[in-house]
Amino acid sequence: MEREKALRNITLYKWYVVFREPLMWGPILISCLTELGHMKLGEIYFMEAIVLFGYIFLEPPSGALADLIGRKKMVVIGAGCEVVSIAWFACIQTPFDVWSANIVWMIGASFSSGANTSLIYDTLAELDREHTYERLESTVISFFLLVTAVFSLLSGLLAEIHLRLPIVLSIPGVVVCFCITLCFTETGKVEKKTEKRKITLSELFQILKTTLQAINNLMKVSLLFVANNKEIKWIVGFSTLIAVASKVWFFTYNPYFEVVHLDVQYYGLVFFLLNVVAWFFCKNAYWIKEKFGEARVVVLLLLAIVLPIMVMGTFVSLLSVSLVLMQNVVRGMARPFFNAFLHKHITSEKRATVDSIGSAVNGLCQFLALGMFGVMLSVWQLSFCLQILGLSVLVLGVYGICRYYMVFR
């Protein structure tokens, strides 16, 4: 790849991350699904679990396909699906609409996952700058969080006018993201394997068969690599624990706000503050890791999840709403920290596949956790469910930290 195009990839990636997700939907996500899509909270957890179950099956083969045909192609397809998804969400009227839009999102997310970060990591490798990946991720994600914080303030105000308005006004950003993906340049190693050539119709079936066999073989090799690599297994396992706990907790935000009677116009303010916190810790993630060390960061991420969840479940009040800021310490630091940790231990030819396997494991655990939490909510109050969630994550997290010292020391 030419140096100019490689540098352009890095610049475009910053804007790709910023516009990939709807900028104003976060503060009123669950409220939209319940009021516009006419779904109950337990049904939302069940739907998320089922959609994630489908994500599990698409994730590894899509990652292997990205390694074979090119990361850019998969990122473009994924971004296209996400445009369709948000447009459908903007028009939701029934649970069928919510389910359909969510499934389209799942397809797009699975196609992009692994391919996008692998494209950028290999771009940096071609510039001999792969050691700067963690800093790049911190800079890019922190910028995204800062932009999201600003738009979150608008979300609450717009929702007061009409609940559907923040979703509709988020569509242009996702369309911009799709246009950005068209401007990416494939990395040299993958580009050589995917050079265009004329083929006859008689060759098409054989090419498809060969591609499927290659995907299957690459997945087997990558699964064996993960299974036999203690470092990769720990990274995938602990990052999954943190991600799953964060996901389950996030879906309780709106219901918790309603329980403590927080006015909807303040939802945007809360999300502004939590995005500012996430921005600060993401921007300084590399410095924090260098200052405190890898082990202390792992402990910090666990405590920042466990303690506020348990306190919010035990002391249900308006004051406890402020504890969601702690989750965004994790939100800010986790992605650059774990992504750099993972990519440091895998090679280019298996990069997207292994990354996708990790995402599939994450999806499987989210499927199980969201399903169980949805069942729990149908039996017990939200506060008690939060206490159980916090205690479960504490036990698993302490075990994970003990394993860390055995694997990396």
Side-chain angles (χ1 to χ4, degrees):
M1 184 195 301
E2 297 175 12
R3 179 178 176 81
E4 183 180 343
K5 291 181 178 179
L7 293 173
R8 187 181 67 182
N9 266 6
I10 296 170
T11 302
L12 289 172
Y13 182 64
K14 176 180 180 179
W15 297 104
Y16 165 79
V17 171
V18 168
F19 291 111
R20 185 183 173 190
E21 297 182 13
L23 291 172
M24 289 187 287
W25 197 15
I28 43 89
L29 169 61
I30 303 301
S31 297
C32 285
L33 300 186
T34 54
E35 295 187 31
L36 300 178
H38 305 289
M39 297 185 71
K40 296 179 181 178
L41 184 60
E43 293 173 340
I44 294 172
Y45 272 97
F46 176 73
M47 175 190 67
E48 285 297 315
I50 296 300
V51 169
L52 282 168
F53 191 66
Y55 180 85
I56 295 165
F57 290 99
L58 282 178
E59 183 69 16
S62 67
L65 188 59
D67 281 331
L68 289 171
I69 70 169
R71 284 76 183 266
K72 175 185 173 178
K73 293 183 180 69
M74 299 299 286
V75 172
V76 169
I77 296 171
C81 290
E82 286 163 359
V83 170
V84 174
S85 173
I86 186 61
W88 203 332
F89 269 122
C91 304
I92 56 172
Q93 295 181 341
T94 66
F96 173 79
D97 291 326
V98 178
W99 274 88
S100 301
N102 216 1
I103 289 170
V104 174
W105 170 86
M106 175 266 293
I107 295 170
S110 65
F111 277 29
S112 298
S113 178
N116 47 21
T117 56
S118 296
L119 174 66
I120 296 306
Y121 194 92
D122 280 347
T123 297
L124 290 171
E126 294 194 13
L127 293 169
D128 293 321
R129 288 169 51 184
E130 62 266 36
H131 60 281
T132 65
Y133 176 77
E134 187 172 1
R135 291 187 181 183
L136 174 64
E137 280 285 282
S138 296
T139 301
V140 168
I141 299 169
S142 63
F143 182 64
F144 159 72
L145 293 169
L146 191 59
V147 173
T148 304
V150 174
F151 278 92
S152 293
L153 284 174
L154 295 174
S155 180
L157 298 174
L158 292 170
E160 280 284 292
I161 300 173
H162 197 289
L163 194 56
R164 201 181 296 273
L165 199 53
I167 318 176
V168 174
L169 294 180
S170 294
I171 295 175
V174 184
V175 173
V176 168
C177 176
F178 173 73
C179 295
I180 288 171
T181 63
L182 297 173
C183 299
F184 278 132
T185 301
E186 190 61 81
T187 55
K189 290 180 181 179
V190 179
E191 191 174 30
K192 289 178 183 178
K193 294 191 295 183
T194 58
E195 288 178 347
K196 294 181 180 179
R197 65 179 183 88
K198 293 182 179 180
I199 59 172
T200 64
L201 291 175
S202 61
E203 292 179 301
L204 182 59
F205 177 76
Q206 185 60 36
I207 290 173
L208 291 174
K209 182 180 178 181
T210 303
T211 301
L212 290 174
Q213 289 175 342
I215 290 172
N216 185 52
N217 291 336
L218 184 55
M219 284 176 59
K220 286 180 179 178
V221 171
S222 299
L223 283 168
L224 285 173
F225 174 74
V226 173
N228 295 313
N229 191 305
K230 292 181 180 180
E231 290 85 359
I232 296 293
K233 282 196 293 186
W234 185 90
I235 296 167
V236 170
F238 197 83
S239 62
T240 294
L241 174 65
I242 297 299
V244 169
S246 296
K247 183 69 173 281
V248 175
W249 187 13
F250 173 77
F251 276 99
T252 68
Y253 281 12
N254 283 174
Y256 195 90
F257 295 168
E258 293 172 7
V259 168
V260 298
H261 305 295
L262 180 69
D263 196 296
V264 69
Q265 65 181 319
Y266 296 115
Y267 286 18
L269 177 61
V270 172
F271 273 74
F272 168 78
L273 293 174
L274 62 84
N275 277 301
V276 168
V277 170
W279 162 78
F280 176 82
F281 280 92
C282 183
K283 185 176 178 60
N284 295 285
Y286 182 79
W287 178 85
I288 292 171
K289 192 195 80 171
E290 292 297 307
K291 183 74 173 178
F292 294 99
E294 210 169 67
R296 289 190 178 93
V297 170
V298 169
V299 174
L300 170 66
L301 293 175
L302 177 64
L303 293 179
I305 284 285
V306 169
L307 295 180
I309 289 178
M310 297 190 72
V311 172
M312 287 179 69
T314 305
F315 305 101
V316 181
S317 66
L318 272 173
L319 185 62
S320 294
V321 168
S322 62
L323 293 174
V324 299
L325 299 179
M326 290 297 294
Q327 190 264 345
N328 288 274
V329 173
V330 178
R331 182 173 167 229
M333 292 187 64
R335 177 171 167 178
F337 176 73
F338 286 120
N339 274 358
F341 208 166
L342 179 66
H343 283 292
K344 187 170 66 174
H345 288 84
I346 53 182
T347 55
S348 178
E349 64 271 14
K350 294 190 289 285
R351 192 176 306 286
T353 311
V354 172
D355 198 351
S356 292
I357 289 171
S359 295
V361 172
N362 192 324
L364 175 61
C365 293
Q366 287 191 27
F367 160 71
L368 295 173
L370 288 168
M372 288 189 292
F373 202 80
V375 172
M376 288 164 55
L377 285 171
S378 66
V379 179
W380 299 304
Q381 292 185 340
L382 177 61
S383 57
F384 183 64
C385 293
L386 285 172
Q387 291 175 331
I388 295 176
L389 174 64
L391 183 60
S392 301
V393 176
L394 177 62
V395 172
L396 293 172
V398 170
Y399 172 75
I401 291 172
C402 293
R403 288 290 302 169
Y404 171 86
Y405 285 103
M406 295 174 63
V407 171
F408 294 98
R409 299 291 178 178

